[in-house]
Amino acid sequence: MGIRIIEEKCKGCKLCVAACPFGAITITEKLARIDIAKCNLCGACVDACKKFAAIELIREETPTIDKTRYRGVWVFAEQREGQIANVTLELLCEGRKLADKLGEPLCAILLGEAVAKVARDLVCFGADKVYLAQSPQLAVFIEEAFTEVITGLIKEHKPNIVLLGATAIGRSLAPRVASRLETGLTADCTGLEIDTKTKNLLQTRPAFGGNLMATIVCPNHRPQMASVRPKVFKPAQRDQMRIGKIVRYNYKDYSLTQRAQLLAVVKGIAEAVNIAEADVIVAGGRGLGCAENFKIIERLAEVLGGAAGASRAVVDAGWVPYAHQIGQTGKTVRPKLYIACGISGAIQHLVGMQSSETIVAINKDPKAPIFNVADYCIVGDALEVVPALIREVEKIRPREQAEPVVTDSKLEHQFALGG
Amino acid sequence: MMDIIVCIKQVPDTLEVNINRDTNTLVREGVDSVINPFDLYALEEGLRLKEQYGGMVTVLSMGPPQAVETLRQALSLGADNAVLLSDIGFAGSDTLATSYTLAKAVKKIGRFDLVFCGRQAVDGDTAHVGPSLAERLGVGHVCCVMKISEVGDGNMTVERMTEEGIERIKLSLPALITVSKGINEPRFPSLKWKVNAARSEIEVWFAQDIGADENKIGLKGSPTRVVKMTTPQHNRQGQILEGSTAEQVTDLVSKLHQAEIL
C-alpha cells in the first residue's frame, strides 16, 4: 500500500498539486514530492497525471473472500410500534435501483414483535424478499439483540450490500454489525452508485465538516455496508399488487444477550421536536441578537406549521436546546421550505440544510455565505423582516389552518415498555 | 469506585478549516488542533462520576506523536492517567481498524466499569468508533447519551435522544456510552491539575505493545478506501428581493405562494 512519484516521468508540471484535495504535494527542483503524512491515497493526483503517468498508486487488492458468493441488496427495515420509518422507504427506492443495476434481489430485514403485517408492506414498497424475525425480545430496539439476529442472517444468506438509515437506531446498530462481521461501513451517505467496471458500491458522503465530498468503496470485504442520511432519496411508492416472499427467520432465543433494557420512552416534549421530519423549518442565528428575540422564529414556524431550527452559535449560547441545532454537529434536514434568519451560513451549517427544496435567507450582511445557497435573498435585519413576514403569512394563512408540529409542549406521554 | 476510560481524538478545529476555491484543497496552515468537542463532554462526565464515586479516569487516544498535547490537556482537566497509541502502522486506519486498536489498548489497560466516547469526531463525523469499540470489548452500549440519571450496583440508567423522544435505558456494567452535547458544561483546567499535567509522563504504546495483529491495523486493517474527493458545488441562482422591507416580504410571500410552497 503506498504511492510514489516515478521521477524519470515527472515533468514538474504542478497538475497534481492542483488536484490534491489535501495539499500533500509540493514541487521541489521540478519534481513532485508527496507528504505521506497528509496523503490519504485518494488517487486524485494519479488521474491528474494521466498524460505523464508519473504517479503510481499501489493498492494491495487481495480479496480474502469470494465476492461472487455475495448477492442481494439488503435494507434494514426500521420500525417503531409497527410504523415503518420514512428512511426505510427511501432506502427501498434507492436499493431497488442498485439491485436492478446489479441484477440482484432487493431484500428487507425486519425485526420486531407481531410485525408480519409490516413485512407485507415492505413487499408493496419494493422488497423481493423480507427476512422476518419476530420475538417479544425484539419488540423494542436493543443494540445487542438486533446485532445478534442481523449478523446471523447476514452470515447465512451473504448479501452483497446492506443499507441502514442514519437514524438514532441505524447509527448505533450499524457499527456493531460491521465490527462483528469485520467488514467496511460508510457513515451518513448522501449518494450511492454502482461502479460499472468493478461492480463495487460507490458511497459518497460529506467529509471535513462538509468542505469536501468523499467517495468511498469497500473493495475486498463483503457485505458492503452503508448508513444513509434520511431525506436524501425519494421514498418508494406503494404498489398493492407487488408480490414478494416472506422468510421467517428462526434464531435461538437464548442467544440474545440483554445487557441493556429500555425502561421508558418520553414522547412529545418540546426538546424532542423532530426537525428532521418537518416540511417547513424556520431557523434562527446569532443575527437575532438575544435569546428573547428567538421567539419570533418560533412564532413564524408556528404560523407556517413548521418547526424551529437553530445555528450552532445560538445553541452554544444557550438560547435553545441542542435538539434544534442544524448542521454538521446537529441535525441534517431537507424540508420543502427552509427560512434562515440571521444565520451567516458557515459551511458546517450549510451541510445540514443546503439540500432543502427551497431556501430563503434573511441577513443584514449582503456578503453572508448563506446567500450562496439561497433561492430567495432578503438583505435586511431579521428582527424587522421576520415580524413583517409573520403578518404577511397570517393574511394568506389564517391561524386556525396552521398545523403546528408540536401540539402541546408540556404534554408528556410516558409509558413503560416490557421489563 | 469506578474505573473509567475516556477515548479522545485530536482533530483540526473544523470551524477554521477552509477550502481554497482556486485549488480545491483544504487550507490546513494555521489551523489549530483541539480535543474533539464531543470528547470534552465525555471527559467531563467521566470526571464527574469519578468525583462522586471515586476511582480513576484514564484518557486514551490514537494519533500522531503530537496528539500527546491533547492528552496533556485532558490531564490538566483532571484525568489521572493518559495513554497515547502512536505507531506508523496505525496510519490510514478507518473506523474498523481504529476500534480494533483501541480495543486492544483497553484490554491492556485492564479492568474498567465504563468507557466514554464523544458521540462523533468532528473531522470524520462517522459516530462509528464508540459502538464498534463496545462490540469488540463485548459490552453493551448506548449512543448519544444526554443524561446519566442513576448509577446503581453493577448498572446505570441513562437517557438518550432519538427521533421519537427521550429513551430511558438501564445498562449493566461494564459498558460503553457515547455522549452528546448538552449533557454537561465542561470545566476549565485548574492550576493544580495543570502543574500535575506538566509533570506527568504520558505513556506511548506501539502496535507491538498492545499485541496488535498487523493485518488488522492501519490501512491493511481498513476495508474502506477513499477513491475520490470533490468540492461540493453550491449552484443556486439566488434571487435578491428589492424594495422596502414590506415590499420584499410581500414579494417573497407571493412568490412562495405562486410556487405552491405556501
Side-chain angles (χ1 to χ4, degrees):
Chain A
M1 194 71 54
I3 192 161
R4 70 180 192 111
I5 305 285
I6 305 165
E7 298 193 354
E8 315 82 83
K9 291 187 183 174
C10 180
K11 302 281 184 265
C13 71
K14 296 190 185 166
L15 279 175
C16 54
V17 177
C20 176
F22 304 100
I25 312 180
T26 48
I27 304 284
T28 38
E29 292 163 18
K30 291 199 174 166
L31 270 182
R33 300 200 186 277
I34 300 174
D35 181 349
I36 292 299
K38 288 183 183 172
C39 175
N40 278 30
L41 298 175
C42 74
C45 54
V46 180
D47 291 342
C49 191
K50 268 196 192 118
K51 195 172 162 194
F52 305 109
I55 305 173
E56 189 183 17
L57 179 63
I58 307 121
R59 288 204 176 103
E60 286 168 42
E61 303 294 348
T62 45
T64 46
I65 50 151
D66 177 7
K67 288 197 272 183
T68 57
R69 289 173 58 214
Y70 290 76
R71 276 178 57 81
V73 177
W74 282 21
V75 168
F76 168 67
E78 188 171 327
Q79 59 86 23
R80 287 181 202 253
E81 296 160 42
Q83 181 77 33
I84 306 175
N86 289 338
V87 71
T88 300
L89 303 184
E90 293 155 21
L91 291 179
L92 286 171
C93 183
E94 197 60 18
R96 181 80 261 162
K97 291 182 204 163
L98 299 175
D100 289 348
K101 240 176 242 175
L102 290 165
E104 295 177 9
L106 175 68
C107 308
I109 18 176
L110 176 64
L111 284 66
E113 185 187 19
V115 286
K117 191 195 146 289
V118 179
R120 170 68 200 139
D121 288 341
L122 292 167
V123 170
C124 294
F125 283 110
D128 299 316
K129 203 188 267 182
V130 179
Y131 293 101
L132 173 64
Q134 296 194 98
S135 156
Q137 282 173 289
L138 301 171
V140 295
F141 169 69
I142 293 291
E143 281 80 354
E144 286 184 275
F146 274 50
T147 302
E148 188 81 32
V149 173
I150 293 170
T151 50
L153 272 165
I154 291 175
K155 281 181 185 163
E156 195 175 320
H157 298 280
K158 298 187 169 45
N160 186 4
I161 293 171
V162 177
L163 306 175
L164 301 91
T167 56
I169 288 178
R171 286 168 67 107
S172 190
L173 174 64
R176 279 203 95 114
V177 173
S179 294
R180 194 170 297 186
L181 298 168
E182 300 265 352
T183 191
L185 169 65
T186 305
D188 274 343
C189 295
T190 56
L192 297 171
E193 288 288 332
I194 299 293
D195 185 337
T196 41
K197 247 194 285 175
T198 61
K199 302 278 182 217
N200 285 331
L201 180 66
L202 301 172
Q203 307 156 83
T204 302
R205 69 181 299 262
F208 293 96
N211 284 291
L212 292 171
M213 296 302 289
T215 302
I216 292 166
V217 295
C218 175
N220 302 322
H221 295 71
R222 291 294 180 268
Q224 308 167 82
M225 288 185 64
S227 69
V228 178
R229 281 204 176 164
K231 293 217 149 199
V232 172
F233 298 114
K234 300 256 175 306
Q237 296 302 310
R238 175 185 273 274
D239 176 357
Q240 210 58 43
M241 306 305 287
R242 264 195 64 89
I243 44 169
K245 213 166 145 189
I246 295 170
V247 182
R248 281 169 202 272
Y249 178 59
N250 296 314
Y251 58 90
K252 303 176 195 82
D253 261 20
Y254 59 80
S255 67
L256 294 181
T257 43
Q258 296 283 30
R259 277 177 291 211
Q261 183 189 352
L262 183 62
L263 300 177
V265 184
V266 186
K267 286 189 185 179
I269 57 160
E271 287 194 359
V273 54
N274 191 1
I275 50 175
E277 294 287 333
D279 281 337
V280 177
I281 293 174
V282 183
R286 208 157 22 189
L288 294 167
C290 65
E292 183 62 22
N293 291 341
F294 199 83
K295 286 194 179 134
I296 61 171
I297 300 300
E298 288 160 353
R299 178 77 192 115
L300 180 57
E302 193 187 325
V303 298
L304 290 169
S311 71
R312 173 181 156 160
V314 309
V315 172
D316 283 352
W319 297 2
V320 284
Y322 174 56
H324 293 267
Q325 187 176 319
I326 291 166
Q328 189 206 357
T329 53
K331 293 194 171 107
T332 303
V333 296
R334 199 190 195 192
K336 292 197 174 84
L337 176 62
Y338 189 93
I339 306 181
C341 312
I343 292 176
S344 64
I347 183 89
Q348 291 77 14
H349 185 77
L350 301 185
V351 295
M353 48 63 75
Q354 66 193 4
S355 54
S356 304
E357 279 176 38
T358 301
I359 297 171
V360 175
I362 303 164
N363 203 295
K364 264 194 274 197
D365 177 7
K367 291 202 186 94
I370 190 81
F371 289 129
N372 298 336
V373 301
D375 301 286
Y376 301 106
C377 314
I378 295 183
V379 180
D381 189 343
L383 293 180
E384 286 171 28
V385 179
V386 175
L389 198 49
I390 293 170
R391 287 191 295 274
E392 199 63 29
V393 174
E394 278 178 336
K395 276 189 212 162
I396 63 157
R397 243 195 196 201
R399 260 192 96 173
E400 54 274 17
Q401 284 185 15
E403 294 165 32
V405 171
V406 181
T407 45
D408 185 352
S409 61
K410 295 287 179 290
L411 194 67
E412 279 202 6
H413 291 299
Q414 195 169 344
F415 52 92
L417 286 157
Chain B
M1 292 280 281
M2 290 196 96
D3 286 320
I4 294 163
I5 296 171
V6 184
C7 299
I8 62 176
K9 184 179 185 187
Q10 186 181 46
V11 297
D13 192 343
T14 52
L15 285 177
E16 291 177 25
V17 172
N18 268 308
I19 290 286
N20 179 334
R21 294 280 161 199
D22 298 329
T23 57
N24 271 353
T25 58
L26 280 178
V27 181
R28 289 189 168 183
E29 279 68 35
V31 175
D32 290 334
S33 288
V34 294
I35 294 188
N36 173 44
F38 288 109
D39 299 349
L40 276 177
Y41 302 113
L43 176 58
E44 177 64 36
E45 208 56 26
L47 294 173
R48 286 183 189 192
L49 283 187
K50 176 189 106 170
E51 283 156 6
Q52 205 176 341
Y53 300 99
M56 296 276 263
V57 172
T58 302
V59 280
L60 174 65
S61 187
M62 178 173 113
Q66 57 268 32
V68 90
E69 286 316 310
T70 308
L71 288 167
R72 212 171 287 284
Q73 200 186 330
L75 290 172
S76 74
L77 291 167
D80 302 284
N81 303 305
V83 176
L84 175 66
L85 297 166
S86 197
D87 189 312
I88 191 72
F90 299 149
S93 294
D94 70 2
T95 56
L96 190 77
T98 302
S99 65
Y100 169 78
T101 311
L102 289 173
K104 285 300 238 183
V106 169
K107 283 175 187 158
K108 179 167 168 157
I109 290 169
R111 218 195 79 81
F112 69 90
D113 298 293
L114 255 182
V115 177
F116 279 98
C117 298
R119 72 168 243 197
Q120 71 198 64
V122 296
D123 57 348
D125 267 336
T126 66
H128 285 173
V129 171
S132 192
L133 177 57
E135 173 65 29
R136 292 188 180 278
L137 294 172
V139 299
H141 84 271
V142 177
C143 284
C144 297
V145 170
M146 45 175 291
K147 191 178 173 189
I148 295 179
S149 38
E150 210 184 310
V151 179
D153 188 18
N155 63 67
M156 69 193 302
T157 304
V158 300
E159 291 179 6
R160 77 166 157 207
M161 181 73 79
T162 72
E163 293 83 2
E164 292 288 289
I166 294 167
E167 291 182 349
R168 196 167 295 139
I169 296 165
K170 191 173 174 182
L171 191 62
S172 34
L173 300 177
L176 181 146
I177 60 177
T178 79
V179 304
S180 180
K181 184 171 167 175
I183 189 171
N184 56 41
E185 274 302 319
R187 68 192 64 192
F188 293 101
S190 74
L191 188 63
K192 178 191 150 201
W193 285 102
K194 261 186 164 168
V195 172
N196 240 7
R199 286 187 192 143
S200 298
E201 266 303 303
I202 291 174
E203 275 193 71
V204 180
W205 291 349
F206 298 100
Q208 64 182 47
D209 296 324
I210 53 172
D213 175 345
E214 60 162 31
N215 289 313
K216 290 191 169 189
I217 58 169
L219 269 175
K220 251 188 171 174
S222 301
T224 58
R225 295 268 176 278
V226 176
V227 286
K228 201 168 82 184
M229 284 280 189
T230 52
T231 313
Q233 299 300 324
H234 317 294
N235 39 8
R236 275 187 207 238
Q237 292 297 321
Q239 191 179 345
I240 297 168
L241 305 176
E242 311 277 349
S244 68
T245 300
E247 285 163 356
Q248 290 183 51
V249 167
T250 315
D251 192 17
L252 174 68
V253 172
S254 79
K255 281 196 163 92
L256 292 177
H257 198 53
Q258 271 166 28
E260 291 179 1
I261 297 161
L262 282 186

